[in-house]
Amino acid sequence: MDNIKVFDGHNDTLLNLHLPRRGERRSFFQRSDLGHLDLPRAREGGFGGGFFACYVPYPQDDDRNEESALTRTEDQQIDPEYARSFADDLVADLFGLQSEGGLRVVRTVGELERCLREGVVAAILHFEGAENLGPDPAALEELFEMGLRSLGLVWSRPNAYAHGVPFRFPSSPDTGPGLTEAGKDLVRECNRLGVLIDLSHLNERGFWDVAELSEAPLVATHSNAHALCPASRNLTDPQLAAIRDSGGMVGVNFAVGFLREDGGESEDTPLKTVVRHVEYLVERVGIDGVGFGSDFDGAKVPKELGDVSGMPRLLAALRDGGYDDTALEKLARGNWVRVLRTTWQG
Ligand SMILES: [Zn+2]
């Protein structure tokens, strides 16, 4: 029924394909029951593209999901040399997918819209954690030239720029200090180049530092409402108000641990729970400030959704919730396109 094209704020498909223990050597080009996202299932689900994250796990964490509320400590920094070399492998993987066709790395909104029209998966190269730049932050410009268009200052651990929010439940996101001087410089540099700054995984003080400094709309690519699920990874009402005031947006995360009010990891989480977060975020940020940030291949998602091919079921649930075509188009991709146009300045 719903053939609305979706553009999505976050997936961990590159890592899932990269690490054999996770992806079990599935191919992006062949339909699989493993993971959440491949080209055949993307076409089935109307997935027009999204942010493809380069996330570097701790060396000992190779078999874990990126988002996991399991008890773990995220207080260790990761060596920037290691992070950069791992991220370089993921970047090479992404351009490898592009060279086989069916997916294109996009650098402008024009390119993104062309992909959506032509049915080619539009991929935004996103770094999840600025340690992936390597030891010298000046690498940002070189990576920008190569195609990097989105950067999370941190994953849920500290680095030279900021402090990520550790996975806690229930917990405030106010878990530590704000940005370092290097972090503030990096925000200015992202603004200068037109690189989107992703606030998901940043702790609350870091969030407010970016809010004060950045000239771009505030964006959390894959986070939910703290009022409905008090996980440290979710956004409080004052944060949502700041995002609204900046003309920014939130990508709704399908990770069950960030959806459920008990913070549990059960896949028996109804789609209605996703709808409830959308409704709440729309109430707080506005219909122009909410989209999707699925976390496919990086988290446990509701069984009722299954994988990317289940997106039409979510759109149908939102339609049942009262969203008309115009609203659904905004939620599904229009808001991402708008925010990217402002942020990238082109
Ligand atoms: Zn994440």
Side-chain angles (χ1 to χ4, degrees), residues 87 191 209 280:
N191 281 175
D209 284 344
Y280 188 88

Coordinates of all heavy atoms in Angstrom, one line a residue, residues 87 191 209 280:
A87 N 38.2 2.6 10.5 CA 37.2 3.4 9.8 C 37.5 3.4 8.3 O 36.6 3.4 7.4 CB 37.1 4.8 10.3
N191 N 31.1 23.3 10.9 CA 30.2 24.4 10.4 C 30.8 25.0 9.2 O 30.1 25.3 8.2 CB 30.1 25.5 11.5 CG 29.0 25.2 12.6 OD1 28.9 25.9 13.5 ND2 28.3 24.1 12.5
D209 N 26.9 22.5 24.9 CA 28.0 23.2 24.3 C 27.8 23.3 22.8 O 28.1 24.4 22.2 CB 29.3 22.4 24.6 CG 29.8 22.6 26.0 OD1 29.3 23.6 26.7 OD2 30.7 21.8 26.5
Y280 N 5.1 11.8 20.3 CA 5.7 12.6 21.3 C 6.7 13.6 20.8 O 6.7 14.8 21.1 CB 6.3 11.8 22.4 CG 6.7 12.6 23.6 CD1 5.8 12.8 24.7 CD2 8.0 13.2 23.7 CE1 6.2 13.6 25.8 CE2 8.4 13.9 24.8 CZ 7.5 14.1 25.8 OH 7.8 14.9 26.9

